[in-house]
């Protein structure tokens, strides 16, 4: 067979995997947005069957054959860039998954399902001891994975690699320390400040339907393409790329706090705009998605913070907001409004925290995960370590484990190495923003005048279009000319919060 | 391998096919209800890939092996009833599909797609000659199919078998003649009647949102399970079983004619209640769906006509209707309302026709299809034959082909043999209603008091639960003790319409 024939066969094979993923994504979206209750059991089985099929296609002899044949030097050099990247991705995933004994993996999948419901009960009753034995087993399996996959430098690097290829403990230790060294004192200064913003007016009743209209309006304004997506309501908001022309967002309406919907929608918009603007050439391949969790989060946070929390944004839309809620902000000046929506205070719960303190919540988890996988602490120690770190970084101590170590679902599903991506998203976003200023020095003016198209175009040509064709750190270096640099985030936070709190 | 092992393997194989179908169904529903425009192209390809996979599983060597091994006398007798029926169905479908040369089939699929868009243009411009060459090719291919599949009695029987297993020209000729002999004179009497109902008030503005609320209310009342389905809006209403716990309905809101939504919703409810109440034992098999087009239609028409157009139904809900539209029916008596919603008049368009004349529209198409496949007429003759038959049966002649032979999409997709199911649905419904009266002699009282649960239970235990475990005529004979008998429909129509038109 000619290399063209095998190349086409291989890409068709991938297209099939991608098609199954598309069906799975739609079923997932549907389960979250409006599938009837009685659909769930059978739908879950169907998702299981299709997922198993994709997995089996990944670790099949056929895949091995494609990898072997197409990797031959003479052949490889003749492949298109997209095929080469696809081959690289499949090779990595094949090796990673093939090495896990199927029986062990199956047991682990069952354990995960069980652990998630046990975690839920443990959280509801604030009983860490209930969850501990499951968490122990999950940690053990992930230690085994590190054994199967090997590691370089630090054992925890292997888990980081899952979510942020190229990211290491060495890098994270350095940048997290820098951020902590600046943010912790800043948080303390803010706490002691006598210039705290008034926030009462934020929590007045804002009817859901009006919030929905406002969310739609804002999405359209800032560049979400409604011909390639839709907005729905869910308990936990998300964005999901079903295909390139169908990237959906969901939001949540809290009638006593409009910020949940407004900033949540803008956040998910950033995720969605990323996937809506991946190069058309990648459609139907497994490269047609965000390159990593961290870069994805950088896009959502860019939209949320550098657009949605920019003072110019509200100079432009404060009047509009008042049309949707004519009473709520009647005697509130724009400046007071802007200060209120940017209020920062240390809290116990990560998902309720603000732009300034968020990274500290992440660091607690990072430190714990790193210590766990380097055998420096045991699962039993988690509640104590958690509480100590919260006191150290945020100056607060959880009154119970429900509001402490049990608050996040991630560990029950074995997602170790995931949390750092959230903080990386902030750092990437600030670093990209700095780079953008070189090309678009009138950035604040663009926001103020609603020229979001120029901002989106810049992000598309520098980030979005590549999908998985570039690795996260490759994107960062190509755009900013340097590796991860925490100082942009630090400068941004210092400047913004000193101004708001008049420090 | 033990027969138990092979049996399980076979049923798992079928479960996988069913899972793919579930994903396809959801994607279809999504495309119709709210998928964004730019999703369509890629989504169509994904549906194509999954459909091809199901087809290949059907005609695979693996399937052949299952059929061969499980059909062996010693093995077959030990299989569960569900496996036996599944085997029978797969055997039939395998043989039918395996015999078609793949290249011919592929060409035909392309032809169908093309033909549908040509038909649309032809209909828009009322130009039959544009569509004729495509229709000819489609007829030719279906003649080939009859050649591949063989036939008993009449060639057209082979096509009828596709939609209504066991149905034949011999049966249809007889029952259609009976119906025609009674309905045609009745329609003429009605036309000449001086007691026509007033209908003006039907067409007053009825806001969409109120219609939606009314539709939801009625669905809940008559037994649609919203925990196993949902209601959405589409241009062409339909019901779709995604799985047994997820059977969705759609409707259309015409603000100038509330009947579209009300009776459309009740109609789709009948389809949905059928699929919601198939036995749990059939979940995850290909038997977990309606047994035929005709029986499916009998359930939708039972709900639409024997419930929704029953006078007792409106005795119960007329007041409620007035709550949703307080002005519209202000000075209209229940009797005048009831007569209006049951107005009958000959029309040109099948989908706009009424309960009494509907079967005549179907018969025109049946006569034409039968003649086509017995080489008694040619595609070129269709407009003329169509117009003559409309004059003969309904007393009206289409002014152009758009309102005549080009009105339905079915032939462009090669769906020959489908139309009779619509008329069979009426006959089955009337015959089932007669049988129901033996068990539930107070039927009208049940409707008037809103005891739809008793009606549904009867239909479930006699029809719904079986899914494809029983063939259509088997269901009919088991329930009614006789084969298809048109006189129940005739008596029902005579009685109802003579009362309404005071004949």
């Amino acid at each position: 067979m000619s290399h063209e024939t095998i190349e086409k066969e291989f890409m068709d094979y991938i297209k099939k995997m991608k098609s199954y993923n598309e069906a799975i994504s739609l079923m997932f979206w549907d389960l979250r947005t409006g599938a009837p209750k009685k659909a769930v059991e059978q739908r879950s089985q169907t998702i299981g069957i299709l997922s198993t099929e994709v997995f089996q296609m990944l670790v099949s002899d056929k895949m091995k054959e494609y990898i072997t044949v197409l990797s031959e030097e003479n052949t490889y050099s003749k492949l298109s860039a997209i095929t080469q990247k696809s081959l690289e991705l499949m090779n990595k995933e094949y090796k990673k998954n093939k090495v896990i004994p199927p029986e062990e993996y199956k047991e682990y999948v069952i354990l995960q399902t069980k652990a998630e419901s046990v975690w839920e009960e443990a959280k509801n009753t604030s009983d860490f001891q209930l969850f501990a034995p499951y968490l122990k087993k999950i940690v053990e399996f992930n230690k085994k994975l590190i054994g199967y996959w090997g590691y370089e430098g630090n054992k925890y690097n292997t888990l980081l690699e899952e979510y942020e290829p190229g990211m290491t403990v060495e890098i994270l230790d350095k940048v997290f320390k820098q951020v902590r060294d600046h943010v912790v004192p800043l948080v303390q200064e803010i706490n002691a400040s006598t210039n705290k913003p008034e926030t009462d007016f934020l929590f007045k009743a804002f009817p859901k339907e009006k919030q929905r209209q406002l969310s739609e309006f804002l999405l359209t304004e800032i560049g979400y393409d409604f011909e390639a997506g839709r907005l729905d309501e869910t308990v936990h908001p998300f964005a999901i790329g079903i295909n390139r022309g169908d990237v959906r967002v969901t939001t949540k309406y809290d009638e006593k706090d409009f910020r949940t919907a407004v900033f949540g929608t803008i956040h998910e918009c950033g995720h969605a705009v990323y996937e809506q603007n991946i190069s058309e050439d990648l459609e139907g391949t497994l490269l047609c998605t965000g390159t990593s969790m961290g870069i994805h989060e950088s896009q959502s946070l860019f939209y949320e913070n550098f657009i949605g929390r920019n003072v110019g944004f509200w100079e432009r839309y404060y009047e509009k907001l008042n049309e949707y809620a004519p009473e709520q902000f009647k005697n509130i000046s724009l400046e007071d409004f802007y200060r209120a929506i940017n209020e920062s205070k240390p809290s116990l719960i990560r998902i309720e925290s603000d732009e300034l303190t968020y990274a500290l919540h992440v660091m607690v988890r990072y430190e714990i995960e790193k210590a766990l996988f380097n055998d420096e602490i045991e699962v039993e120690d988690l509640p104590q370590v958690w509480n100590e770190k919260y006191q150290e970084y945020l100056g607060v101590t959880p009154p119970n484990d429900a509001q402490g170590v049990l608050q996040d679902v991630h560990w029950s599903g074995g997602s170790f190495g995931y949390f750092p991506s959230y903080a990386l998203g902030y750092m990437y976003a600030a670093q990209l923003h700095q780079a953008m200023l070189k090309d678009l020095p009138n950035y604040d003016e663009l926001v103020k005048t609603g020229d979001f198209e120029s901002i989106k175009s810049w992000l598309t040509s520098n980030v979005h279009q590549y999908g998985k064709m570039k690795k996260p750190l490759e994107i960062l270096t190509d755009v900013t000319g340097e590796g991860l640099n925490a100082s942009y985030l630090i400068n941004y936070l210092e400047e913004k919060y000193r101004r708001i709190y008049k420090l």
Side-chain angles (χ1 to χ4, degrees), chain A:
Chain A
M1 252 194 286
S2 71
H3 87 267
E4 285 95 346
T5 313
I6 307 174
E7 181 173 4
K8 189 178 176 311
E9 247 191 37
F10 172 64
M11 291 311 289
D12 282 346
Y13 190 81
I14 280 182
K15 193 174 183 170
K16 194 163 154 183
M17 293 170 78
K18 175 76 181 174
S19 290
Y20 290 8
N21 281 344
E22 179 171 345
I24 293 166
S25 297
L26 183 68
M27 288 191 278
F28 174 86
W29 171 85
D30 185 65
L31 279 177
R32 292 290 172 279
T33 52
K37 196 175 137 188
K38 292 178 185 168
V40 178
E41 201 184 313
Q42 184 64 26
R43 186 70 35 82
S44 307
Q45 287 194 41
T46 296
I47 291 175
I49 288 172
L50 265 92
S51 304
T52 305
E53 196 62 28
V54 176
F55 181 80
Q56 280 170 351
M57 287 182 77
L58 176 65
V59 297
S60 68
D61 293 344
K62 193 79 212 161
M63 181 62 88
K64 191 181 172 185
E65 195 188 321
Y66 286 133
I67 293 170
T68 311
V69 174
L70 293 172
S71 298
E72 279 165 22
E73 218 181 298
N74 279 339
T75 310
Y76 183 81
S77 59
K78 289 178 198 139
L79 302 175
S80 78
I82 292 174
T83 309
Q84 287 180 342
K85 274 285 165 191
S86 297
L87 190 63
E88 194 184 301
L89 180 66
M90 290 301 96
N91 193 12
K92 182 178 170 183
E93 293 296 319
Y94 175 86
K95 279 184 186 150
K96 226 176 62 189
N97 287 290
K98 195 71 184 177
V99 80
I100 309 169
E103 272 315 302
E104 277 181 23
Y105 187 72
K106 207 173 159 184
E107 254 177 60
Y108 180 56
V109 172
I110 295 165
L111 173 66
Q112 280 172 317
T113 316
K114 193 91 192 270
E116 195 177 322
S117 54
V118 172
W119 163 78
E120 215 173 308
E121 203 192 326
K123 187 183 171 184
N124 288 340
T125 55
S126 198
D127 180 359
F128 182 76
Q129 289 316 314
L130 189 66
F131 182 48
Y134 291 88
L135 187 54
K136 256 186 238 172
K137 282 188 196 164
I138 290 175
V139 170
E140 280 319 308
F141 181 81
N142 278 274
K143 285 183 176 174
K144 265 197 204 170
L145 281 183
I146 298 172
Y148 292 138
W149 296 343
Y151 65 95
E152 280 178 46
N154 193 295
K155 284 181 181 174
Y156 183 53
N157 286 346
T158 298
L159 302 179
L160 288 172
E161 179 76 16
E162 282 296 278
Y163 303 96
E164 205 61 16
M167 194 46 61
T168 63
V169 163
E170 293 66 31
I171 300 174
L172 286 178
D173 277 349
K174 192 184 132 209
V175 293
F176 279 171
K177 182 171 184 310
Q178 280 180 290
V179 172
R180 211 162 51 231
D181 286 350
H182 285 86
V183 170
V184 171
L186 184 55
V187 169
Q188 285 161 357
E189 269 191 82
I190 284 174
N191 271 341
S193 157
T194 50
N195 282 312
K196 296 206 174 82
E198 277 300 326
T199 57
D200 293 359
F201 60 87
L202 296 176
F203 310 106
K204 288 193 189 153
F206 194 141
K208 187 166 148 172
E209 177 55 23
K210 288 285 168 193
Q211 290 195 45
R212 199 191 57 71
Q213 290 167 12
L214 174 61
S215 296
E216 268 187 17
F217 168 76
L218 291 175
L219 279 172
T220 308
E221 285 285 302
I222 62 180
Y224 179 76
D225 180 358
F226 268 104
E227 287 196 351
R230 49 179 284 168
L231 170 68
D232 293 89
E233 187 185 353
T234 51
V235 179
H236 303 289
F238 62 89
I240 187 167
I242 302 174
N243 66 41
R244 228 184 109 264
D246 191 0
V247 187
R248 305 182 181 190
V249 290
T250 74
T251 196
K252 182 179 162 179
Y253 305 107
D254 180 344
E255 295 206 315
K256 291 286 160 133
D257 190 349
F258 77 99
R259 294 176 304 172
T260 305
V262 165
F263 295 106
T265 303
I266 298 175
H267 180 96
E268 299 309 333
C269 177
H271 282 303
V273 164
Y274 187 178
E275 303 245 341
Q276 284 183 336
N277 291 287
I278 293 171
S279 165
E280 207 179 333
D281 302 341
L282 299 179
E283 180 74 287
T285 75
L286 294 168
L287 306 167
C288 193
T289 184
T291 188
S292 73
M293 288 303 308
I295 295 289
H296 232 306
E297 203 63 19
S298 79
Q299 298 308 295
S300 55
L301 290 169
F302 191 97
Y303 272 74
E304 182 182 345
N305 295 329
F306 290 89
I307 293 178
R309 292 188 203 272
N310 184 303
V311 67
F313 187 80
W314 292 105
E315 280 175 36
R316 183 172 172 79
Y317 293 117
Y318 192 47
E319 207 177 307
K320 196 83 195 174
L321 175 70
N322 277 279
E323 286 174 23
Y324 287 95
E327 293 302 316
Q328 187 163 359
F329 310 103
K330 221 170 191 174
N331 301 308
I332 312 297
S333 71
L334 172 62
E335 174 66 11
D336 286 345
F337 172 80
Y338 174 70
R339 292 184 70 218
I341 59 168
N342 282 293
E343 187 198 26
S344 172
K345 58 180 176 193
S347 67
L348 294 167
I349 309 296
R350 176 183 59 86
I351 58 165
E352 292 167 6
S353 72
D354 54 76
E355 187 185 18
L356 180 63
T357 57
Y358 194 93
L360 301 176
H361 290 264
V362 170
M363 283 178 222
V364 171
R365 291 151 177 83
Y366 165 71
E367 300 284 340
I368 288 175
E369 292 187 354
K370 192 178 60 167
L372 261 180
F373 288 96
N374 284 287
D375 302 308
E376 295 159 5
I377 58 171
E378 296 295 325
V379 164
E380 283 78 7
D381 309 327
L382 258 52
Q384 199 199 326
V385 179
W386 181 284
N387 292 356
E388 285 168 8
K389 290 210 179 278
Y390 259 77
Q391 189 55 50
E392 185 188 347
Y393 293 173
L394 286 134
V396 292
T397 298
N400 55 51
D401 290 338
Q403 292 176 70
V405 69
L406 287 171
Q407 69 182 263
D408 295 309
V409 68
H410 303 58
W411 290 342
S412 74
S415 298
F416 296 103
Y418 186 124
F419 282 118
S421 314
Y422 293 126
L424 284 168
Y426 280 94
M427 291 184 249
Y428 291 155
Q431 194 166 340
L432 288 170
H433 176 248
Q434 193 60 37
M436 189 186 285
L437 285 178
K438 286 181 199 145
D439 297 322
L440 305 172
N442 59 338
Y443 177 83
D444 288 333
E445 194 59 28
L446 295 176
V447 173
K448 205 192 299 188
T449 56
D451 184 0
F452 303 109
E453 192 52 38
S454 299
I455 297 170
K456 190 176 79 178
S457 289
W458 191 93
L459 289 169
T460 294
S461 73
N462 288 291
V463 182
H464 304 159
Q465 62 162 326
Y466 298 110
K468 270 186 184 297
M469 287 293 282
K470 285 188 179 183
K471 294 219 166 69
L473 292 177
E474 204 176 339
I475 286 184
L476 199 69
T477 318
D478 287 355
V479 183
T480 70
E482 60 180 326
L484 182 61
N485 185 338
S487 59
Y488 302 110
L489 177 66
I490 293 164
N491 293 343
Y492 159 77
L493 291 173
E494 288 272 359
E495 195 183 323
K496 176 169 177 175
Y497 285 90
R498 290 201 178 279
R499 178 182 168 284
I500 289 172
Y501 283 88
K502 302 173 182 163
L503 300 172

